[in-house]
Amino acid sequence: MMGRDRLRIAIQKSGRLSAASIELLARAGLSFRMSRDRLFCFGESLPIDLLLVRDDDIPGLIQQGVCEAGVVGLNVAREHALAAKDSAPAYDELIDMGFGGCRLCVAVPQDEQWDGPAQLAGRRIATSYPALLGDYLQRQNVEAEIVVLSGSVEIAPKLGTAEIICDLVSSGGTLQANQLKEVAIILESNAVLIGTRASLADERRELMDLLLRRLDGVLKMRESKLLTLNTSRESLPSVLKLLPSSDPPTSMQIAGSEDRVVLQVLCHQDISWHQLEELKRAGAGHLLVMPVEKMLA
Ligand code: ATP
Ligand code: ZN
């Protein structure tokens, strides 16, 4: 049914992860032509196509071999893997995509005092993540009743379905609006690329590796800062030793000022105030830190 020479990635059709997924893939050099029914995007720049589906369906689609990879919240990836714990995992978590951050947490009524997980014993807890919640309760040695709801979990206490919930939160605004407070974090989540890299043997394996390399490059660049400074030739050796990067710096001579050199270096992590102070003490001047992302915009 499916070509062995094209890769298929499933992404969320419409929701919190859709736009950022497409944007990141586009930055990795992929371009697409959308089908008329808006369910499929044909890869134009590379033989990598997109399938637009509900996020919950993505792990299953990979498992069935309909696609080789997909972008989902870690919450969905882990829930599906835990729920199918008897069979071997159908996919690996390949790359943290760096967006869609949220946490799966337990929330109780605001007026309830929280003394710890033991308090959940015998209670009813509403969630869309029964496997993750069940795993958490088991690790805490607590038995509780899990009420599975597919959406609007936060209104369960108002409906009388359950007094406690286990749901995804980012700002916490929804909890507050429903007179609930967060008391325990079960999982910190980000969007991840999941896929079946290991079991691919044909051209798709190479395509997958290319995709992973490109995404890795894009994500690294997102974090990167360009550090510019100048220094005297005399201080150059000690300044070079302190540069917060393993990349080789570029140096430039300032016209008319034979003694001073301008250095530029790409740093892949944050540069701390402390590191900048140390550079200054070693003789560096005019330090400037620029996010590379901004320079490209
Ligand atoms: P679908 O129709 O595809 O099933 P959905 O309602 O399940 O959509 P969204 O609400 O768009 O999905 O959430 C998709 C993912 O976004 C979540 O699984 C989670 O990883 C992430 N996310 C980030 N912040 C939040 C948040 N505040 N609430 C819920 N999900 C969040
Ligand atoms: Zn969903």
Side-chain angles (χ1 to χ4, degrees), residues 12 54-56:
Q12 192 185 24
R54 286 201 56 190
D55 64 348
D56 317 71

Side-chain angles (χ1 to χ4, degrees), residues 190-203:
N190 246 351
V192 288
L193 182 79
I194 55 172
T196 53
R197 183 185 168 279
S199 58
L200 295 176
D202 42 41
E203 284 97 329

Side-chain angles (χ1 to χ4, degrees), residues 216-235:
D216 198 47
V218 172
L219 290 165
K220 262 204 190 122
M221 202 45 93
R222 274 207 165 165
E223 313 277 289
S224 297
K225 316 265 187 304
L226 186 69
L227 170 65
T228 309
L229 54 82
N230 70 40
T231 172
S232 65
R233 288 203 178 277
E234 193 193 344
S235 306

Side-chain angles (χ1 to χ4, degrees), residues 12 14-17 53-56 73-76 100-102 129 168-171 189:
Q12 192 185 24
S14 75
R16 289 184 157 97
L17 306 181
V53 297
R54 286 201 56 190
D55 64 348
D56 317 71
L74 186 62
N75 48 298
V76 168
C102 59
Y129 296 91
L168 294 172
V169 174
S170 45
S171 67
S189 180

Side-chain angles (χ1 to χ4, degrees), residues 72-179:
V72 289
L74 186 62
N75 48 298
V76 168
R78 291 274 168 90
E79 174 70 18
H80 191 90
L82 270 177
K85 59 174 174 268
D86 296 333
S87 47
Y91 48 82
D92 297 315
E93 291 160 14
L94 298 171
I95 285 196
D96 181 336
M97 306 282 269
F99 60 83
C102 59
R103 53 200 186 274
L104 182 65
C105 68
V106 177
V108 302
Q110 268 165 9
D111 52 15
E112 179 172 334
Q113 192 194 320
W114 179 250
D115 299 312
Q119 202 165 315
L120 299 172
R123 310 281 292 274
R124 274 191 302 172
I125 312 173
T127 190
S128 307
Y129 296 91
L132 281 166
L133 174 60
D135 179 65
Y136 169 79
L137 292 172
Q138 201 176 14
R139 279 186 283 119
Q140 302 297 324
N141 256 319
V142 170
E143 272 186 49
E145 188 188 335
I146 299 177
V147 181
V148 184
L149 297 178
S150 57
S152 302
V153 171
E154 71 282 358
I155 60 168
K158 277 203 185 120
L159 301 178
T161 332
E163 57 240 314
I164 300 177
I165 70 164
C166 162
D167 201 8
L168 294 172
V169 174
S170 45
S171 67
T174 310
L175 289 184
Q176 205 155 28
N178 287 281
Q179 286 86 50

